[in-house]
Amino acid sequence: MATPKDLDVHSQMVSYGTIGNVFRVDFTGLRALYNLMQDDSPIAQPAKELALNLMRKGPSMYARFHNDHLADALFTALTNRT
């Protein structure tokens, strides 16, 4: 299994008043993001769970920043990967 250090990723615990502690992950570029989201990454499953939980809550104040074209491209790439 790849580790965050192998993926050129930096992480830290941060706190937000509304939700408490959050594990923040910074990456150096799109290749690092791609590697980070692979199934063997320690981050992939928690990221999937976070996304699903946020979708279940419904729209947020950040909904205006959602990009349908980017989401379609990401889901298409993920579908073609299998």
Side-chain angles (χ1 to χ4, degrees):
M1 177 189 303
T3 65
K5 185 178 179 185
D6 298 332
L7 300 172
D8 201 15
V9 172
H10 309 281
S11 61
Q12 66 179 345
M13 186 67 70
V14 294
S15 182
Y16 294 95
T18 55
I19 58 172
N21 291 337
V22 175
F23 190 67
R24 175 180 162 170
V25 178
D26 298 311
F27 49 90
T28 57
L30 293 178
R31 173 55 61 188
L33 174 61
Y34 177 81
N35 291 337
L36 187 64
M37 297 312 295
Q38 298 306 302
D39 290 333
D40 65 342
S41 163
I43 303 297
Q45 188 60 38
K48 290 174 188 176
E49 291 172 17
L50 173 64
L52 288 173
N53 288 336
L54 289 174
M55 285 189 277
R56 287 183 186 114
K57 284 184 167 185
S60 75
M61 65 184 193
Y62 299 107
R64 65 185 172 149
F65 299 109
H66 179 74
N67 184 318
D68 288 326
H69 298 292
L70 176 60
D72 287 344
L74 289 171
F75 285 121
T76 297
L78 290 171
T79 300
N80 292 337
R81 194 175 60 128
T82 58

